Amino acid sequence: LLGGIVANIIVSLISLLFIREWFIFVLIFMFVGFIFALSNGIPTEFNDGKTYQLARESKANEYLLWLQLAANGDMTLGAIYNELPNSYFDDSKQVNNYLGDFQQFLILGRHYENEEWDLAKSLLEKMWNRKSDVMIIYQWELKKELLYYLLMKEPNDVRIKSLLEDNSLKKYLKLEDISNHRVLAVIAYVFEEDLVKAEALIDEGIHWSKPVSNEGAKRVEIQLLSEMS
């Protein structure tokens, strides 16, 4: 975490070696480098400084940070949720911050993979009840996954209408992401009753060719999309 902050400072200082040759450019480069270091180093809602601060506050936070790095590393290499160590899903030390929320979404992913819909519902409802405390990016993800679950299993839930009309969620679902295709396919099939559109979204998701940062999550998304086809 501090590596990124320190790196920005070091690179800015190294640029001093070239100040005689390119005075204006070096000053601009140094200024930008120090701004990045400062913005990352001062704890805000979500940056390296805040994450470092949380990790220092308790052993539970420190472990959850390690868990996030370890799980992301394993899944980037292609591991699916069921191939991760069971200890990753032990939330007995759950904390209500974005480090803990990452683990909750990790657990949700395994519930989806195993078709454990009752457990998925319980987790989503628990997070929904404290959504105002959830970081904004995770709020969008929570809305997306709750909408997916409700359309799949409880299509008469009154929250579906408000979720579909949520402008922030609409914008979030426009991002090129395979999991968004899964949710858009369910919207097309259940809410819009447009089978052709739904099948097109499912097919595009199953044959996803765009770059992804998480190969393991992609494998699970393809599984979920295949089960819908």
Side-chain angles (χ1 to χ4, degrees):
L1 294 176
L2 288 179
I5 301 169
V6 174
N8 279 317
I9 295 174
I10 290 175
V11 171
S12 297
L13 291 175
I14 290 175
S15 66
L16 285 171
L17 298 174
F18 305 96
I19 196 165
R20 287 186 178 179
E21 288 82 357
W22 300 295
F23 180 76
I24 297 298
F25 294 107
V26 168
L27 286 182
I28 294 173
F29 187 81
M30 286 179 60
F31 176 75
V32 172
F34 280 119
I35 289 297
F36 273 115
L38 190 63
S39 62
N40 263 319
I42 297 176
T44 58
E45 183 183 9
F46 176 65
N47 66 358
D48 287 350
K50 179 62 176 180
T51 302
Y52 179 71
Q53 183 185 64
L54 285 174
R56 296 267 299 188
E57 285 179 0
S58 70
K59 288 293 183 181
N61 285 342
E62 183 179 329
Y63 168 75
L64 288 169
L65 173 58
W66 172 87
L67 169 67
Q68 181 171 336
L69 296 172
N72 276 329
D74 291 343
M75 295 191 75
T76 296
L77 295 176
I80 58 177
Y81 299 103
N82 281 327
E83 293 171 346
L84 298 176
N86 286 330
S87 59
Y88 287 10
F89 304 94
D90 177 7
D91 63 346
S92 57
K93 296 181 180 179
Q94 182 190 351
V95 294
N96 292 331
N97 57 41
Y98 60 79
L99 297 176
D101 292 337
F102 171 86
Q103 186 186 37
Q104 293 305 296
F105 281 113
L106 194 72
I107 295 170
L108 178 66
R110 187 159 78 162
H111 289 333
Y112 282 172
E113 186 178 332
N114 295 331
E115 298 184 55
E116 297 168 338
W117 295 107
D118 289 342
L119 293 175
K121 176 185 178 179
S122 177
L123 187 153
L124 285 166
E125 295 290 4
K126 181 174 64 176
M127 292 191 72
W128 188 252
N129 288 336
R130 49 172 289 269
K131 60 182 179 295
S132 60
D133 299 326
V134 176
M135 181 177 67
I136 187 64
I137 297 174
Y138 281 165
Q139 283 185 25
W140 299 334
E141 192 68 15
L142 176 59
K143 290 175 182 178
K144 180 178 85 173
E145 295 302 346
L146 180 63
L147 177 60
Y148 170 73
Y149 169 81
L150 293 176
L151 286 170
M152 287 285 289
K153 297 299 176 180
E154 300 181 24
N156 295 318
D157 191 288
V158 295
R159 289 172 291 184
I160 290 176
K161 185 176 184 294
S162 62
L163 287 167
L164 288 170
E165 294 174 350
D166 187 296
N167 288 326
S168 64
L169 181 57
K170 287 180 183 179
K171 292 177 181 178
Y172 189 59
L173 287 173
K174 289 180 180 179
L175 297 177
E176 284 290 343
D177 183 84
I178 188 171
S179 66
N180 285 350
H181 264 58
R182 163 174 52 85
V183 178
L184 291 171
V186 174
I187 293 172
Y189 184 78
V190 178
F191 183 76
E192 299 173 355
E193 298 182 343
D194 188 336
L195 184 59
V196 174
K197 179 180 178 181
E199 288 180 343
L201 287 164
I202 291 170
D203 185 68
E204 185 177 351
I206 290 174
H207 300 96
W208 192 264
S209 59
K210 300 177 180 68
V212 296
S213 60
N214 190 319
E215 286 293 335
K218 177 184 174 181
R219 288 174 60 195
V220 175
E221 291 296 341
I222 291 174
Q223 172 191 319
L224 295 173
L225 286 161
S226 298
E227 290 168 356
M228 293 164 54
S229 62

